[in-house]
Amino acid sequence: MRDEMRAMLRIYKWPSQAFWRCLEVLALRQVEYDRPILEIGCGDGRFSSLIFEEIDEGIDVNPRSIEKCRRHTGRLYRAVRCQDARDLPDSGAKFGTIYANCVMEHIPDIEAVLAGCSRALRPGGKLVMTVPLVRMNEHLLFPWRWYAEMRQQQLVHVNLFTQEEWGAILRAAGFQRIEFRPYLAGEACRFWDSVDAPGALGFGRYRAAGVLGRTAAKLLPAGAKDWSVDRLSSWLAEKAKASGESGAACAVVAIACKTVKGNRQ
């Protein structure tokens, strides 16, 4: 766990991001992925490089992220392109896996996106996605409704559902054999929010987490950076172990198989 946290802190500027992403990596490595693989919301690709050796196609709506992905991930992606997930081409069912990490909760018109995913998967192919659940609002730093609404707006969470609601939406899009694997429990969610909320302070795209992270990267000498990463990784790993997996699921890996014709469940 400590080594995983250290790897995350090399990628993410704020400890809460590393904490959440580390738990995701550990959960996503337990999933089997069939080729060819399409990743929705690939970003700069560094997160997925900790899970996959090769991804066939990656898309992202942000052109700057696509350029970074091409520069920093080498041969991880066989192809990447700038594209909105709502505009998946109807070019035949060819993918064995569509993978999306912390993406689907941010996209409006999610039903159309999932229907597009179903069309792009071959029969029996699967959609693998990580999503926070609406229950996370019950396990934030403060129990007040206005606070939960503020955090949802800060995090740009358009789709916060229960497992049951996600299941219904996925089935309506043509998926079956839907499995949810929790990876963030209530206590871990509350710890994450206690660290993340201060970093979210700011205006527009200028947030404390980004400003402080970039400042530290520029001003701290190499030895101080290594020391701080080592200390933070130990602290975050201890918090993750102490939080455990018991209690309410606040985020899950959802695995949904495309309906095979004549075998709809």
Side-chain angles (χ1 to χ4, degrees):
M1 177 75 75
R2 180 179 172 182
D3 290 341
E4 299 295 347
M5 287 293 182
R6 185 181 291 108
M8 291 300 163
L9 286 166
R10 298 294 184 188
I11 297 175
Y12 299 101
K13 304 300 184 183
W14 200 249
S16 59
Q17 295 174 304
F19 181 82
W20 187 299
R21 292 288 181 256
C22 182
L23 297 178
E24 283 176 336
V25 160
L26 296 175
L28 287 166
R29 284 179 181 166
Q30 304 304 311
V31 179
E32 293 184 6
Y33 303 90
D34 300 321
R35 301 285 296 274
I37 301 170
L38 167 66
E39 180 178 2
I40 294 177
C42 62
D44 62 14
R46 290 186 295 172
F47 176 85
S48 293
S49 70
L50 301 175
I51 304 168
F52 299 93
E53 292 184 1
E54 188 174 49
I55 295 174
D56 297 277
E57 296 184 30
I59 65 171
D60 198 285
V61 72
N62 188 331
R64 294 180 61 188
S65 294
I66 290 295
E67 288 305 314
K68 289 180 181 178
C69 186
R70 288 173 175 152
R71 290 199 305 267
H72 298 313
T73 57
R75 298 182 179 179
L76 174 64
Y77 296 90
R78 299 183 67 182
V80 292
R81 63 182 182 275
C82 187
Q83 182 179 322
D84 194 309
R86 293 170 291 185
D87 299 323
L88 286 177
D90 192 5
S91 55
K94 64 177 182 177
F95 292 104
T97 303
I98 294 180
Y99 153 75
N101 179 65
C102 272
V103 173
M104 298 301 190
E105 67 269 26
H106 302 296
I107 306 177
D109 197 12
I110 190 62
E111 292 83 1
V113 174
L114 295 177
C117 290
S118 181
R119 289 193 301 271
L121 284 166
R122 64 192 181 209
K126 57 191 172 186
L127 171 66
V128 179
M129 62 182 193
T130 62
V131 288
L133 300 176
V134 69
R135 183 170 281 183
M136 73 176 291
N137 287 342
E138 302 171 13
H139 297 275
L140 298 176
L141 182 60
F142 300 111
W144 308 315
R145 177 179 294 182
W146 69 263
Y147 179 76
E149 292 174 351
M150 179 191 72
R151 291 294 283 141
Q152 184 171 341
Q153 184 176 14
Q154 286 178 334
L155 296 164
V156 198
H157 284 169
V158 178
N159 308 308
L160 273 186
F161 304 129
T162 64
Q163 283 188 186
E164 292 74 19
E165 288 169 334
W166 272 116
I169 294 169
L170 287 164
R171 283 189 291 273
F175 292 95
Q176 63 181 355
R177 298 205 320 270
I178 301 165
E179 178 186 0
F180 295 100
R181 301 182 184 180
Y183 66 86
L184 185 78
E187 186 176 347
C189 183
R190 185 169 288 107
F191 167 74
W192 162 82
D193 191 50
S194 70
V195 179
D196 191 76
L201 296 175
F203 299 95
R205 63 188 182 91
Y206 297 101
R207 303 289 176 177
V211 173
L212 292 175
R214 288 189 292 270
T215 301
K218 290 180 180 179
L219 299 182
L220 286 178
K225 291 179 187 177
D226 292 339
W227 179 85
S228 63
V229 166
D230 187 64
R231 297 287 292 180
L232 275 173
S233 61
S234 297
W235 177 57
L236 294 174
E238 289 174 3
K239 287 294 184 181
K241 291 176 182 177
S243 300
E245 299 179 359
S246 60
C250 295
V252 295
V253 179
I255 305 169
C257 294
K258 179 179 178 178
T259 300
V260 178
K261 190 175 182 180
N263 188 34
R264 191 174 183 92
Q265 297 180 5

